[in-house]
Amino acid sequence: MYTVNGDLLDSNMLGASNSSSSEKHAKEYCSMYGICGQREDGKVLNCPYSVPAVKPSKIFSSKIQSLCPTITGNVCCTADQFDVLRQQVQQAVPLLVGCPACLRNFLNLFCELACSPNQSLFVNVTSISQVKKNSTVDGIAYYVTSTYGEELFNSCKEVKFGSANTRAIEFVGGGATNYREWFAFLGRQASHNEPGSPYSMDFITTVPPSSSMDPMNVSVFACGDTSLGCSCGDCPSASICSDSLPPVPHKNGSCSIHLGSAKVKCIDFAMAIVYIVLVSLVFGWGLLCKTENSSKASPRMRPLLHTEEESELHSVNKNEDVTLPVQGDEKVPISTKESTLPFIQCYISKYYRKHGIWVARHPSLVLGISVTVVVLLSLGLLRLEVETRPEKLWVGPGSKAAEEKEFFDTNLSPFYRIEQLILATVPLSKDSPAPSIVTDKNIKLLFEMQKKVDGIRGNYSGSFVSLKDICMKPVGDDCASETVLQYYKMKPELFDEDDGASHAMFCFEHYTSSEPCLSAYQAPVDPSTILGGYTGSNYSQATAFVITYPVNNAVDKTGSENGKALAWENSFIHLAKEELVPMAGSHNLTLAFSAESSIQEELKRESTADIITILISYVVMFAYISVTLGDISPHISPVYVSSKVLLGLSGVLIVLLSVLGSIGLFSVLGVKSTLIIVEVIPFLVLAVGVDNMCILVHALKRQPIELSMEERVGNTLAEVGPSITLSTLSEVLAFAVGSFISMPACRVFSMFAALAVLLDFLLQVTAFVSLMTFDFRRTEENRVDCFPCIRVSSLATELEHGNLGKRQQKPGLLVRYMKDIHAPVLSMPAVKVAVLLVFSAFAFVSIALTTRLQPGLEQQVALPRDSYLQGYFNNISEYLRVGPPLYFIVKDYNYSLESDNTNLLCSISQCESNSLLNEISRAALTPKSSYIASPAASWLDDFLVWLSPEAFGCCRKFPNGTYCPPDDQPPCCTSADGTCGISETCQDCTTCFLHSDLIGSRPSTVQFRDKLPWFLSALPSADCAKGGHGAYTNSVDLKGYENGVIQASEFRTYHTPLNKQRDFVNAMKAAREFSARVSDSLKISVYPYSVFYIFFEQYLDIWRTTLINLSVALGAVFIVCLVITSSLWLSAIILLVLAMIVLDIMGLMALLSIQLNAISVVNLVMSIGIAVEFCVHITHAFSVSEGDRAQRSKEALTTMGASVFSGITITKFVGVLVLCFARSEIFEVYYFRMYLALVILGFLHGLIFLPVLLSVCGPPSIKSVLDNDEQNQSRTHPNQHDLGLYKMERESSD
């Protein structure tokens, strides 16, 4: 990227003659003629002599006509002046040649000034200086009409300069916004050794009435002129472009309704209407029922009233075995339809009874086998591998973005690595703004920091690596560092020579046009890339310096290709932490920093950040289990006997073994683990597994003491086995559904979690049941907990007096609360109506809130709270004013002359109006919807311009046909100070092609193929800014291009600044939609690529992924419930409650600003499985109890409410509560908040809403149905009935 020297604007080419010094303003008269001297910097000065115009020779006239076709007849310039003119304007030609109308108008401005025979009519010498006793021009007045100025500016204002992703007016006009500013820029007198005119030119558009001056008003070609037409990208106002206006911004705004002055979303309004209708129906139904009941008693209610009176006879809490469905199940013959409904549940209960009896008889054998199996699985940990690379964690193998990235990296070049510093000022007080960073003191500090960065030496395999060894060097040996220090060529001594910070402020406004502002690598430095915290173009008010070090990158296939860069980055981070941050702080500044490897390294560190939190969670859970499993009443038995510390510890160890077994098995299978697995799954399985332990122990406590231990254990498993099996299978299936998510980290997490929960369940019904048998025998034998060898005698006395049996019959505090307070309150009609309405309202509100969920995962959330990257990402959002680079990749571009691909891609003259580059330029006009900040840098446009005969300083060849560089490059120029003329070495160089050599201004296939390598290796310079080396070195894949097809090429632009996650998602979506539309229109394969796409692709269809996974999970749970309960009615109620819990969680996510991403989707899916535990035990107890719905709901709460509260709700609450102290914000946001919401909502729905719902519309009792069928069967087949009873009794005794 090269600027045009202001020398192209010199009036050095204006002449004056020695023959006359009298001033005359008339036709065929000159105001200046000849060269009378030169300045110290070599700029030639014209003679201020007014003489008649001179008739040129025929050869000279032809030479003038080739550049200035409007100049005919006599002229006011000599051959030397014309050579200077040609030499200077050649710098502007490559910038403007893409728009022939603009170029012709621009050349005419200086041709008329230099050689017009009527020069004296519009040029007046206003100031003269003496150089070596010769009078020379020091200032002129150049009269032009305002119409001419306006039309000239309009023809050039939109012309692009591709390689710099900006407009050419930034270079040839100093960023002028109107013709007056442009003329002011052109007319300023340059200081010594600065580009520009050696004397001032005052452009005047009004002429005094008494003046004889006649303003220059040569014809101006409009940029839309058909004879010299420009492309739509350079001239959007052209008539040919009127049919391809910028696309109308797509409005993604949600539907809304205006209610007076209020604006309400359609979804909110719809939910309110539905809820009002629902409430009206409920109250209407209530009034109707009340009216009917008041007029007469319904015959249908009498049996229910009768049943309610006799409910005590059917209590599930009696010592009889009526709570166990197996006792009723086996009585029912299989021949009738209803009797098949509880078959699965009957079979599971029967199996668990036998299983429990067998385990209780052989506890040592079962414990040994189960532990041995899990330990063997855990040996797979020896092959454990942990994946930490972000692109491997968060991007699926079939990802479209991953494939596009691989294509880009393989065929072009991987995007460079970014090392960055952000040095910012801080406000002097709370209410005052931050001061400007652009001061002498701060720039000197930056030089000191840069010295330390240059001194970094990273150790790579025993060799030292410096920044120069790895940095990106587009041209020469200087690093392409983006920093304000580039305005001083990275040299501290130039800072003092160039007036300190004043020079930087000058360069902010003239970085494209002032040669002293060029970087050390000879390219302009856009202030928007090195400054931050300013508004508009007020660069001097910037509050931050942004320093970026682009480092060469390699395709990382094994993780070691970028070893040198990683070694340097480690040293860079250490330097920033230990030295640079304190340096900034001592100057009352802040410093944020980041390296390419920072995120990966901080994620590794995060894996150890919460180990203490996890350990505390286990300790707290262990303490709670020990308390809740044991009996702590001191007057019943000694605490050290009735406590169950050893059993609780064993349960925690079982959880750990299940986790280790899961990780070990997958490690053997070659599945890499992730850090989140190590951190979350132990906690998750602990929270899930403890519930079943509590339920098993509490169920065993409820068994009659008169039964043997084997019978009690068998009855316990038969009683709760179906429900814990149902909950576990639901959890495993729900977790397994998460394995269908494409994101590897979440998929692997789901797989590991599903297997860990399954192993934990298997260990619970084997190893834990064995341990539970040992522990209860220990208690009955009056042995001390944790020290079973020690035996006391108090319990034996209690056994002799029969008090132990009485003690076991006495209900606990929670049971009494559920029976005497909770259940009766919920049975009140008013409470039922209130519960149904309130929970329904929660559901409808949650549906409305769910639409407000935002996709994404903030980078700050994924990192430890104390990470140095937290401040860096905050500064990125606050200070950066440029967006990520955006590349449009074109596959299989056919450049042959027979193909129309070239004109369908380019954006210069004769290109199609709907070409790719014209469409990109058009999209950049609506950045808020397209997220495209500027037109694309086009290697194709610049190549075609570089080839053009008009750009006579670019594509040149020696007489032998080899490449000839521009006159200001070696070997044509060898001057150390850069002042070069036409050298002998290159004086015979000619343009590569004449106009006659091209076909319709386009190269032939052979010409294109032969000259493309020349272009890509051509260095840009002042004489030819279109050289492709550096700007386009990696833009074209030359592999196999000889056959007429370029497999891959890119056109570079930028996204608008992106701060929020939704901005990244919308930018990617907009770019893909744009590319798809253009590809379909042009029939050329085009796709967009940016470095962040690979991580944000998941969010394009995150809602679809969420709905599919939730639907599959709910469907899986429904099927499991249907198979095990054999009740469609009951399964539908469970499904409804689960759906309401998930909806409420999503609504809370919106309120708590939890974003929708793969992690939250996995959590939502898992919440379905976990929420089953809050529902299944209550519904199971409800289904096997007898009486009317209200009585059975009370019985279910009395039987299982306490267990659900203490064994499920409290255990999960205790485990989750510890996570609020996690150092990782991802733990606090996505695990503490979401799982706490799940626990609370599960408790509310399971113990409040579900019992009320069952009491209103619950299914009939399974036992009632079976008893009725049994009675019918006994009347018809009494012998079969007696035989069934006999078989059941025999199996029970066995």
Side-chain angles (χ1 to χ4, degrees):
M1 297 183 292
Y2 275 78
T3 185
V4 176
N5 267 338
D7 293 346
L8 70 88
L9 312 175
D10 286 358
S11 300
N12 303 335
M13 50 289 208
L14 307 179
S17 174
N18 294 333
S19 59
S20 174
S21 61
S22 60
E23 184 176 349
K24 184 176 181 180
H25 299 288
K27 289 185 177 181
E28 297 294 328
Y29 262 83
C30 308
S31 293
M32 303 175 292
Y33 191 85
I35 298 175
C36 289
Q38 63 180 19
R39 302 195 315 180
E40 294 178 0
D41 59 359
K43 294 181 185 293
V44 296
L45 298 171
N46 303 313
C47 303
Y49 301 132
S50 179
V51 296
V54 178
K55 183 177 181 179
S57 65
K58 186 176 181 180
I59 295 177
F60 185 31
S61 178
S62 299
K63 198 174 182 181
I64 293 175
Q65 284 285 302
S66 66
L67 184 67
C68 306
T70 60
I71 306 297
T72 58
N74 298 335
V75 295
C76 285
C77 60
T78 65
D80 290 338
Q81 273 111 36
F82 181 79
D83 288 339
V84 174
L85 167 66
R86 184 180 180 87
Q87 181 182 356
Q88 298 301 327
V89 297
Q90 77 176 23
Q91 299 175 14
V93 169
L95 297 175
L96 305 176
V97 71
C99 181
C102 169
L103 177 62
R104 173 49 48 209
N105 296 333
F106 185 81
L107 292 178
N108 286 347
L109 176 68
F110 292 97
C111 286
E112 294 294 325
L113 176 63
C115 297
S116 172
N118 302 318
Q119 184 190 70
S120 64
L121 290 176
F122 48 82
V123 175
N124 185 34
V125 177
T126 58
S127 178
I128 297 175
S129 62
Q130 296 293 321
V131 176
K132 294 182 179 180
K133 299 182 180 181
N134 289 331
S135 296
T136 60
V137 175
D138 190 56
I140 65 169
Y142 189 177
Y143 290 86
V144 296
T145 64
S146 58
T147 302
Y148 172 83
E150 190 72 38
E151 293 177 353
L152 171 65
F153 179 77
N154 288 337
S155 70
C156 295
K157 64 181 180 180
E158 298 294 342
V159 177
K160 303 185 305 297
F161 180 46
S163 60
N165 287 101
T166 187
R167 299 177 303 159
I169 199 71
E170 298 287 342
F171 292 82
V172 299
T177 59
N178 54 61
Y179 78 90
R180 291 184 179 85
E181 293 180 5
W182 193 8
F183 284 163
F185 174 81
L186 296 176
R188 62 187 175 89
Q189 185 175 16
S191 302
H192 288 312
N193 297 314
E194 282 192 1
S197 172
Y199 50 81
S200 64
M201 294 185 292
D202 184 14
F203 288 85
I204 301 175
T205 57
T206 58
V207 179
S210 59
S211 174
S212 59
M213 304 301 290
D214 184 15
M216 193 272 290
N217 191 27
V218 70
S219 298
V220 178
F221 295 94
C223 64
D225 189 286
T226 55
S227 61
L228 292 173
C230 304
S231 68
C232 291
D234 291 332
C235 184
S237 61
S239 58
I240 193 175
C241 307
S242 59
D243 297 331
S244 52
L245 296 175
V248 178
H250 177 66
K251 295 184 179 180
N252 293 320
S254 58
C255 169
S256 60
I257 298 174
H258 291 274
L259 299 177
S261 60
K263 185 178 180 181
V264 181
K265 286 190 174 183
C266 293
I267 184 66
D268 300 348
F269 184 76
M271 291 298 101
I273 293 298
V274 172
Y275 182 68
I276 292 172
V277 172
L278 178 64
V279 172
S280 302
L281 291 175
V282 170
F283 278 102
W285 173 76
L287 291 174
L288 180 63
C289 292
K290 184 177 180 180
T291 303
E292 291 179 355
N293 291 335
S294 62
S295 61
K296 61 178 181 177
S298 175
R300 294 176 54 202
M301 296 299 295
R302 290 172 187 168
L304 292 178
L305 293 173
H306 178 69
T307 304
E308 188 172 3
E309 293 172 359
E310 299 179 349
S311 61
E312 292 297 328
L313 298 175
H314 305 287
S315 173
V316 294
N317 281 327
K318 299 295 182 183
N319 290 336
E320 295 84 7
D321 290 340
V322 294
T323 58
L324 304 177
V326 67
Q327 292 184 347
D329 293 344
E330 293 186 359
K331 299 177 185 178
V332 184
I334 306 176
S335 58
T336 60
K337 179 179 179 182
E338 287 80 1
S339 64
T340 63
L341 291 177
F343 171 75
I344 300 297
Q345 190 171 349
C346 169
Y347 177 80
I348 293 174
S349 295
K350 182 178 176 181
Y351 167 78
Y352 272 120
R353 179 188 296 278
K354 292 181 178 179
H355 173 75
I357 292 173
W358 193 86
V359 171
R361 288 175 179 172
H362 310 90
S364 299
L365 177 63
V366 173
L367 182 62
I369 293 175
S370 57
V371 171
T372 300
V373 172
V374 178
V375 169
L376 290 176
L377 291 177
S378 301
L379 293 178
L381 292 171
L382 298 175
R383 300 183 60 180
L384 174 66
E385 293 184 49
V386 179
E387 183 63 78
T388 59
R389 289 176 291 178
E391 66 275 11
K392 298 297 182 181
L393 290 175
W394 307 111
V395 183
S399 164
K400 180 181 178 182
E403 295 175 356
E404 293 170 346
K405 179 181 184 298
E406 183 179 4
F407 181 86
F408 181 88
D409 292 348
T410 303
N411 293 277
L412 298 170
S413 178
F415 190 75
Y416 51 80
R417 304 173 70 88
I418 295 178
E419 334 294 347
Q420 202 163 58
L421 299 171
I422 300 178
L423 185 67
T425 58
V426 295
L428 300 178
S429 64
K430 178 182 287 188
D431 299 327
S432 63
S436 173
I437 190 77
V438 189
T439 64
D440 290 349
K441 180 181 178 181
N442 292 335
I443 295 179
K444 287 181 179 179
L445 173 64
L446 198 56
F447 269 116
E448 294 177 18
M449 291 182 171
Q450 183 62 46
K451 184 177 180 181
K452 290 184 177 292
V453 172
D454 290 336
I456 292 176
R457 295 296 182 270
N459 190 341
Y460 176 71
S461 300
S463 61
F464 293 105
V465 181
S466 67
L467 179 60
K468 282 239 176 191
D469 298 327
I470 58 174
C471 70
M472 189 175 69
K473 303 172 184 175
V475 179
D477 294 326
D478 293 296
C479 295
S481 304
E482 294 289 324
T483 170
V484 70
L485 303 184
Q486 289 287 7
Y487 293 141
Y488 308 96
K489 306 292 190 292
M490 304 296 289
K491 298 177 181 179
E493 56 271 19
L494 292 182
F495 175 76
D496 297 322
E497 296 178 8
D498 293 338
D499 298 327
S502 299
H503 176 69
M505 292 186 180
F506 170 80
C507 291
F508 295 159
E509 305 299 330
H510 305 93
Y511 71 96
T512 57
S513 56
S514 178
E515 187 173 6
C517 295
L518 292 180
S519 64
Y521 56 98
Q522 293 302 298
V525 179
D526 189 340
S528 65
T529 64
I530 59 174
L531 299 174
Y534 60 88
T535 57
S537 301
N538 299 320
Y539 300 123
S540 61
Q541 300 301 315
T543 58
F545 286 142
V546 181
I547 304 96
T548 306
Y549 304 106
V551 169
N552 291 321
N553 202 357
V555 179
D556 197 5
K557 294 182 178 179
T558 65
S560 60
E561 284 79 3
N562 292 297
K564 288 185 177 181
L566 288 171
W568 186 89
E569 287 168 0
N570 290 335
S571 299
F572 172 72
I573 295 300
H574 183 267
L575 174 73
K577 288 181 178 179
E578 300 299 326
E579 299 187 41
L580 300 186
V581 170
M583 286 176 64
S586 64
H587 289 73
N588 197 30
L589 302 173
T590 63
L591 181 72
F593 56 93
S594 171
E596 184 73 19
S597 58
S598 289
I599 294 180
Q600 183 173 342
E601 294 302 318
E602 285 298 281
L603 289 176
K604 287 182 182 178
R605 187 174 71 85
E606 186 183 32
S607 63
T608 60
D610 289 303
I611 289 180
I612 295 178
T613 304
I614 297 297
L615 292 178
I616 292 175
S617 178
Y618 268 67
V619 171
V620 171
M621 191 73 76
F622 162 65
Y624 175 76
I625 294 171
S626 301
V627 172
T628 193
L629 295 184
D631 297 317
I632 60 174
S633 180
H635 52 264
I636 295 177
S637 62
V639 175
Y640 49 81
V641 173
S642 61
S643 67
K644 302 202 177 295
V645 174
L646 191 59
L647 183 62
L649 178 61
S650 302
V652 172
L653 292 177
I654 283 176
V655 171
L656 285 175
L657 283 175
S658 64
V659 173
L660 294 177
S662 174
I663 299 176
L665 178 59
F666 279 112
S667 297
V668 170
L669 297 177
V671 180
K672 289 186 178 181
S673 182
T674 64
L675 299 176
I676 198 171
I677 288 175
V678 179
E679 295 174 341
V680 179
I681 287 184
F683 149 75
L684 180 63
V685 179
L686 181 66
V688 171
V690 166
D691 308 338
N692 292 341
M693 297 178 196
C694 293
I695 290 172
L696 285 168
V697 172
H698 291 165
L700 184 55
K701 286 181 181 181
R702 290 197 300 267
Q703 301 305 314
I705 195 64
E706 295 85 6
L707 299 177
S708 66
M709 180 58 68
E710 290 82 359
E711 289 176 318
R712 279 183 279 161
V713 173
N715 288 347
T716 296
L717 287 178
E719 178 183 343
V720 299
S723 59
I724 65 173
T725 301
L726 173 58
S727 63
T728 300
L729 287 179
S730 300
E731 289 165 351
V732 171
L733 286 175
F735 290 4
V737 167
S739 63
F740 293 100
I741 292 178
S742 61
M743 181 184 289
C746 294
R747 183 177 67 249
V748 173
F749 175 82
S750 301
M751 293 163 54
F752 278 61
L755 180 58
V757 171
L758 180 61
L759 288 176
D760 183 56
F761 167 73
L762 295 176
L763 287 175
Q764 285 171 351
V765 296
T766 54
F768 186 75
V769 171
S770 301
L771 292 169
M772 192 169 60
T773 302
F774 283 131
D775 189 77
F776 272 75
R777 284 177 177 170
R778 173 196 62 77
T779 304
E780 294 175 4
E781 294 174 3
N782 208 20
R783 297 181 182 275
V784 177
D785 191 16
C786 297
F787 301 97
C789 296
I790 302 175
R791 186 171 184 174
V792 294
S793 59
S794 61
L795 190 59
T797 303
E798 213 174 9
L799 282 170
E800 291 176 2
H801 292 83
N803 293 332
L804 184 60
K806 294 179 181 179
R807 173 178 65 84
Q808 290 187 335
Q809 296 299 324
K810 183 179 180 180
L813 178 62
L814 275 177
V815 175
R816 294 199 302 271
Y817 164 77
M818 289 291 174
K819 181 178 181 180
D820 300 334
I821 300 176
H822 193 83
V825 170
L826 289 183
S827 64
M828 297 178 181
V831 174
K832 289 183 180 181
V833 172
V835 168
L836 292 176
L837 293 181
V838 169
F839 278 82
S840 299
F842 283 165
F844 285 118
V845 170
S846 296
I847 292 174
L849 289 174
T850 297
T851 62
R852 293 165 169 81
L853 275 175
Q854 294 294 331
L857 175 61
E858 296 292 346
Q859 292 171 306
Q860 294 95 320
V861 173
L863 298 167
R865 283 194 178 96
D866 60 349
S867 172
Y868 62 87
L869 290 178
Q870 295 286 355
Y872 171 75
F873 286 124
N874 292 333
N875 283 6
I876 286 289
S877 300
E878 181 177 358
Y879 295 121
L880 252 63
R881 295 296 184 266
V882 292
L886 168 62
Y887 301 87
F888 287 97
I889 313 302
V890 176
K891 293 183 177 180
D892 301 326
Y893 158 42
N894 187 343
Y895 64 80
S896 64
L897 189 61
E898 295 76 17
S899 171
D900 61 351
N901 280 188
T902 297
N903 288 338
L904 291 176
L905 294 178
C906 64
S907 63
I908 59 174
S909 178
Q910 299 184 21
C911 297
E912 296 293 339
S913 62
N914 66 334
S915 68
L916 170 63
L917 290 163
N918 280 333
E919 290 293 334
I920 295 174
S921 299
R922 200 171 291 115
L925 299 177
T926 55
K928 289 185 178 180
S929 60
S930 69
Y931 292 90
I932 298 175
S934 62
S938 169
W939 69 268
L940 181 59
D941 284 356
D942 286 356
F943 174 54
L944 296 176
V945 168
W946 183 84
L947 279 177
S948 173
E950 282 89 353
F952 43 80
C954 292
C955 185
R956 307 196 306 170
K957 59 184 179 181
F958 287 110
N960 61 4
T962 59
Y963 173 65
C964 176
D967 287 327
D968 59 352
Q969 296 181 23
C972 302
C973 175
T974 57
S975 173
D977 60 4
T979 56
C980 300
I982 300 177
S983 66
E984 294 182 1
T985 305
C986 301
Q987 64 180 355
D988 294 330
C989 289
T990 59
T991 57
C992 294
F993 305 108
L994 301 176
H995 283 287
S996 58
D997 297 328
L998 304 178
I999 303 175
S1001 299
R1002 294 287 184 263
S1004 67
T1005 305
V1006 174
Q1007 291 168 341
F1008 194 109
R1009 181 182 63 217
D1010 292 345
K1011 297 303 181 285
L1012 181 58
W1014 285 19
F1015 166 73
L1016 295 177
S1017 60
L1019 291 172
S1021 62
D1023 280 359
C1024 181
K1026 291 292 185 178
H1029 184 74
Y1032 303 119
T1033 301
N1034 298 314
S1035 296
V1036 184
D1037 181 15
L1038 293 181
K1039 295 191 297 288
Y1041 88 105
E1042 296 86 355
N1043 60 6
V1045 176
I1046 295 175
Q1047 296 180 2
S1049 62
E1050 53 92 348
F1051 300 95
R1052 181 185 68 253
T1053 180
Y1054 289 89
H1055 277 299
T1056 53
L1058 309 175
N1059 296 321
K1060 300 295 183 181
Q1061 293 285 292
R1062 62 175 176 269
D1063 296 334
F1064 288 92
V1065 176
N1066 292 337
M1068 180 180 184
K1069 184 178 181 180
R1072 284 194 167 181
E1073 290 176 350
F1074 170 83
S1075 296
R1077 177 170 58 83
V1078 171
S1079 295
D1080 292 341
S1081 172
L1082 304 181
K1083 308 303 179 185
I1084 297 177
S1085 178
V1086 181
Y1087 76 85
Y1089 171 74
S1090 190
V1091 287
F1092 68 87
Y1093 284 2
I1094 192 171
F1095 300 110
F1096 284 84
E1097 183 185 37
Q1098 57 174 305
Y1099 305 124
L1100 295 180
D1101 59 351
I1102 190 67
W1103 273 108
R1104 176 176 173 272
T1105 301
T1106 302
L1107 295 176
I1108 290 176
N1109 281 276
L1110 291 179
S1111 300
V1112 172
L1114 287 171
V1117 171
F1118 175 76
I1119 292 173
V1120 171
C1121 292
L1122 182 61
V1123 170
I1124 293 181
T1125 65
S1126 302
S1127 172
L1128 180 63
W1129 196 337
L1130 199 64
S1131 301
I1133 289 177
I1134 293 175
L1135 183 66
L1136 172 64
V1137 176
L1138 293 179
M1140 291 178 67
I1141 292 175
V1142 172
L1143 281 175
D1144 288 349
I1145 292 175
M1146 296 178 72
L1148 284 175
M1149 286 174 60
L1151 292 176
L1152 298 174
S1153 300
I1154 300 176
Q1155 294 174 305
L1156 191 64
N1157 49 56
I1159 296 176
S1160 55
V1161 170
V1162 169
N1163 286 344
L1164 287 171
V1165 172
M1166 290 183 177
S1167 68
I1168 294 175
I1170 296 175
V1172 171
E1173 294 192 34
F1174 293 95
C1175 305
V1176 68
H1177 301 294
I1178 299 294
T1179 54
H1180 175 68
F1182 178 84
S1183 66
V1184 299
S1185 60
E1186 296 183 24
D1188 66 351
R1189 292 189 179 100
Q1191 184 59 35
R1192 290 162 56 210
S1193 177
K1194 290 181 183 179
E1195 294 289 351
L1197 279 174
T1198 304
T1199 306
M1200 295 303 299
S1203 295
V1204 171
F1205 182 78
S1206 63
I1208 297 178
T1209 305
I1210 300 300
T1211 54
K1212 285 180 168 56
F1213 181 78
V1214 170
V1216 169
L1217 194 62
V1218 179
L1219 292 180
C1220 70
F1221 302 103
R1223 294 171 60 190
S1224 301
E1225 195 168 358
I1226 195 170
F1227 259 55
E1228 192 271 334
V1229 173
Y1230 288 97
Y1231 294 100
F1232 170 67
R1233 294 185 190 178
M1234 289 193 69
Y1235 282 107
L1236 181 62
L1238 170 61
V1239 171
I1240 295 174
L1241 291 172
F1243 161 72
L1244 294 175
H1245 283 79
L1247 294 182
I1248 297 178
F1249 177 72
L1250 179 59
V1252 171
L1253 185 64
L1254 290 172
S1255 69
V1256 173
C1257 59
S1261 171
I1262 292 177
K1263 296 188 69 175
S1264 298
V1265 175
L1266 297 181
D1267 287 343
N1268 291 335
D1269 287 326
E1270 184 180 304
Q1271 292 174 8
N1272 295 332
Q1273 291 294 325
S1274 63
R1275 295 191 187 101
T1276 55
H1277 304 284
N1279 294 333
Q1280 274 190 341
H1281 171 63
D1282 294 339
L1283 180 61
L1285 287 175
Y1286 172 74
K1287 288 183 177 180
M1288 186 271 293
E1289 292 173 357
R1290 286 291 303 273
E1291 289 173 350
S1292 298
S1293 63
D1294 293 340

